[in-house]
Amino acid sequence: MSALALFVFCTSAWASASQFNPTQPFNARNMSTFGATSMPVGYYEYCLRYRQRCARGPEGSMIQLTRASWSDIVSVNAEVNTAVIAMTDMEIYGVEERWEYPTTVGDCEDYALLKRQRLNEMGYPLGALLLTTALDAKGGGHAVLSVVTDLGDFILDNLEQRVLLWSDARIYFLKRQSQRDLNQWVSLVDEDDLLISSGNNQAPSTAAARLRR
């Protein structure tokens, strides 16, 4: 499938984006960001443990989506999802939150870390491989990897075997790493519009409470 055909296929469910992400422009290829926000505690503690890893620069901010790069993205998503067994941090480490590279077991953010590492080792810039926090379709806390390409932001999710355009994913996105500074996080929710949209959708009111934690 050509990159253009792939993009047309993946944008078929743009309208559904408004249900989960009402403050995002529903017809945009790439997600909008709405200013700096707090860093997730799990990522902050991860960087305290691994300062050298978090000291790296973005190296670039976008991937050209070609047949080869799409194959790499899909393969890494499938391989990591297959190799790692999902377990909570409490089950693995006995704590509520701990971000780590997984070996055989891991939580959602661990999948995202490993996928980012593997794609970066294949030559893709960290500034286009963004750790992203969200709420899943059931309202639970979640983390995925956002891959920024010239044909849109694609989501690598341990709960979904397919690589989906952000607007096709049944996810309410909260925040992600900045493309310019990986140790700064930016909001994916326009809080100015949040109260307006929350009257039409249950997800924003749930997310608003979690955004302030």
Side-chain angles (χ1 to χ4, degrees):
M1 181 182 293
S2 70
L4 179 59
L6 168 68
F7 175 70
V8 171
F9 173 78
C10 288
T11 56
S12 61
W14 258 345
S16 66
S18 62
Q19 299 173 7
F20 284 89
N21 300 278
T23 65
Q24 284 286 339
F26 78 92
N27 59 347
R29 296 183 180 186
N30 300 90
M31 283 187 279
S32 295
T33 60
F34 301 99
T37 189
S38 59
M39 179 185 296
V41 172
Y43 180 77
Y44 172 75
E45 293 175 345
Y46 168 85
C47 287
L48 289 180
R49 295 193 303 274
Y50 306 112
R51 294 181 184 274
Q52 187 173 2
R53 295 179 188 176
C54 292
R56 297 182 61 186
E59 306 166 348
S61 60
M62 186 170 286
I63 295 170
Q64 183 179 4
L65 196 61
T66 63
R67 186 185 297 274
S69 60
W70 176 251
S71 178
D72 288 340
I73 292 167
V74 170
S75 295
V76 166
N77 189 61
E79 289 167 5
V80 173
N81 284 356
T82 300
V84 178
I85 299 171
M87 292 180 65
T88 68
D89 290 328
M90 184 60 70
E91 291 172 321
I92 302 169
Y93 305 109
V95 297
E96 288 291 338
E97 190 76 358
R98 184 179 176 92
W99 294 36
E100 289 285 356
Y101 287 124
T103 51
T104 58
V105 297
D107 204 354
C108 54
E109 69 276 356
D110 306 331
Y111 285 84
L113 281 168
L114 184 56
K115 292 171 186 179
R116 183 182 69 155
Q117 179 191 49
R118 290 196 178 178
L119 286 169
N120 181 242
E121 289 174 346
M122 297 169 78
Y124 299 106
L126 288 174
L129 306 171
L130 306 176
L131 300 171
T132 304
T133 62
L135 301 179
D136 62 25
K138 297 180 180 179
H142 196 38
V144 297
L145 184 68
S146 297
V147 179
V148 181
T149 81
D150 58 338
L151 293 183
D153 292 352
F154 289 87
I155 306 302
L156 279 62
D157 186 350
N158 68 299
L159 301 179
E160 170 62 65
Q161 293 304 314
R162 297 170 298 169
V163 175
L164 299 175
L165 190 68
W166 74 270
S167 54
D168 291 339
R170 295 175 62 83
I171 291 175
Y172 185 84
F173 297 100
L174 297 178
K175 61 181 80 174
R176 74 182 185 187
Q177 293 175 291
S178 166
Q179 291 178 270
R180 295 182 179 181
D181 181 350
L182 299 174
N183 292 314
Q184 182 179 21
W185 286 64
V186 292
S187 178
L188 297 173
V189 179
D190 185 351
E191 294 190 66
D192 291 336
D193 290 341
L194 199 58
L195 291 177
I196 297 174
S197 60
S198 62
N200 300 320
N201 189 289
Q202 185 62 34
S205 61
T206 305
R210 300 197 181 202
L211 274 171
R212 292 170 173 78
R213 290 182 180 178

